[in-house]
Amino acid sequence: MAPEVARIEPVTDSNGYIVALERELLTLSAVHEALLAETAALIDGDTDNLGIATTSKNAALEAHQVALNQRPAGDLSEAANSELRALQDRLASLAGDCQDLNRRNGALISKLSDRTKAALTVLQGTEDFAVLYSASGVEPATGKGSRVLGKA
């Protein structure tokens, strides 16, 4: 005997969906605000606010996941009203905005990381082909009394 497969029935009462989607919209808006704060902190180089924004973003993502898990099971019926469709459209649009912001923040973090690594390489004197300047002029990277010009 084959195991029974659970059938997902269409949801005819859209009120449960509306409440769930409004909750998701609220939590996703918090994610969006946290991403905007993270962007501002990255652009301004504000490490204190970056830590706060990242913590807020993670908390907002957790709250949003909880809201997603509370959505009623089942597919929407064809009779779902326009308010429900409008909420779904707003959620989809905001989710797209959040994805774009997150990608942009990732790119900013990558660029900042590259700059930091380059500055550390210069400061540590581990640059491969460093042109140095000393009291006697330009010379190879031999160490003492020399420094890289125009890098760090």
Side-chain angles (χ1 to χ4, degrees):
M1 185 183 219
E4 273 189 50
V5 176
R7 258 187 80 174
I8 298 176
E9 296 295 323
V11 175
T12 54
D13 176 22
S14 61
N15 288 335
Y17 255 98
I18 289 173
V19 169
L21 292 180
E22 285 174 341
R23 189 177 310 119
E24 287 177 36
L25 189 59
L26 184 66
T27 58
L28 192 57
S29 293
V31 172
H32 188 262
E33 290 300 316
L35 284 166
L36 288 173
E38 185 179 62
T39 301
L42 285 167
I43 290 171
D44 295 342
D46 187 346
T47 56
D48 291 335
N49 281 331
L50 180 59
I52 293 166
T54 301
T55 301
S56 295
K57 178 183 72 172
N58 290 336
L61 284 168
E62 286 179 26
H64 185 62
Q65 186 61 51
V66 169
L68 285 172
N69 292 337
Q70 293 174 349
R71 185 185 289 188
D75 294 327
L76 291 174
S77 68
E78 291 299 318
N81 63 31
S82 62
E83 181 182 2
L84 188 57
R85 297 285 181 216
L87 273 171
Q88 288 176 314
D89 291 345
R90 287 174 55 200
L91 263 171
S93 176
L94 187 57
D97 290 348
C98 286
Q99 287 177 328
D100 291 343
L101 274 171
N102 196 49
R103 273 190 220 102
R104 191 174 337 160
N105 288 354
L108 283 170
I109 290 168
S110 180
K111 286 179 185 177
L112 289 171
S113 177
D114 290 347
R115 284 185 197 161
T116 302
K117 288 175 187 173
L120 284 172
T121 298
V122 169
L123 292 172
Q124 293 170 342
T126 57
E127 201 173 26
D128 289 336
F129 296 102
V131 177
L132 303 175
Y133 181 79
S134 69
S136 61
V138 176
E139 60 184 57
T142 58
K144 300 181 181 182
S146 302
R147 63 180 182 176
V148 176
L149 290 180
K151 292 277 184 151

